[in-house]
Amino acid sequence: MKLAEAIKEQRELKGWSQEESANILKVSRQSVSKWESAKNYPSLDILIAMSDLFGITLDHLIKGDACFKKSYFRGKL
């Protein structure tokens, strides 16, 4: 599962709108929209907050998303 799909799935399981999720995470609704459409990726601190908020592991959010891993870790290894 891609990161975008995982974020949207977890948000919908909680019954939250993008606006509600954004308010909880202290980001804009547009940020949530971009994450869910894979136009942008959340920062690591936001990923950790989402993991805690949704009660899931970071692995569940990002492990299956090769594009995220490639862009996030580019030049860091």
Side-chain angles (χ1 to χ4, degrees):
M1 177 180 293
K2 292 185 176 185
L3 177 60
E5 295 166 353
I7 293 170
K8 183 175 182 177
E9 175 187 72
Q10 292 300 314
R11 176 183 60 77
E12 289 177 343
L13 285 172
K14 292 287 190 183
W16 296 333
S17 66
Q18 287 183 344
E19 185 75 33
E20 289 169 313
S21 295
N23 288 336
I24 293 165
L25 293 167
K26 296 178 177 53
V27 297
S28 68
R29 189 213 44 85
Q30 291 83 356
S31 291
V32 175
S33 177
K34 287 178 183 179
W35 301 336
E36 290 184 2
S37 62
K39 292 181 181 174
N40 203 348
Y41 291 110
S43 64
L44 186 55
D45 58 329
I46 295 292
L47 286 170
I48 292 168
M50 280 194 271
S51 159
D52 292 341
L53 186 63
F54 297 142
I56 59 174
T57 65
L58 284 173
D59 276 356
H60 184 86
L61 280 173
I62 64 172
K63 195 163 187 178
D65 193 335
C67 291
F68 170 78
K69 289 186 283 190
K70 204 180 242 186
S71 71
Y72 186 80
F73 293 109
R74 184 177 298 133
K76 294 186 179 185
L77 298 177

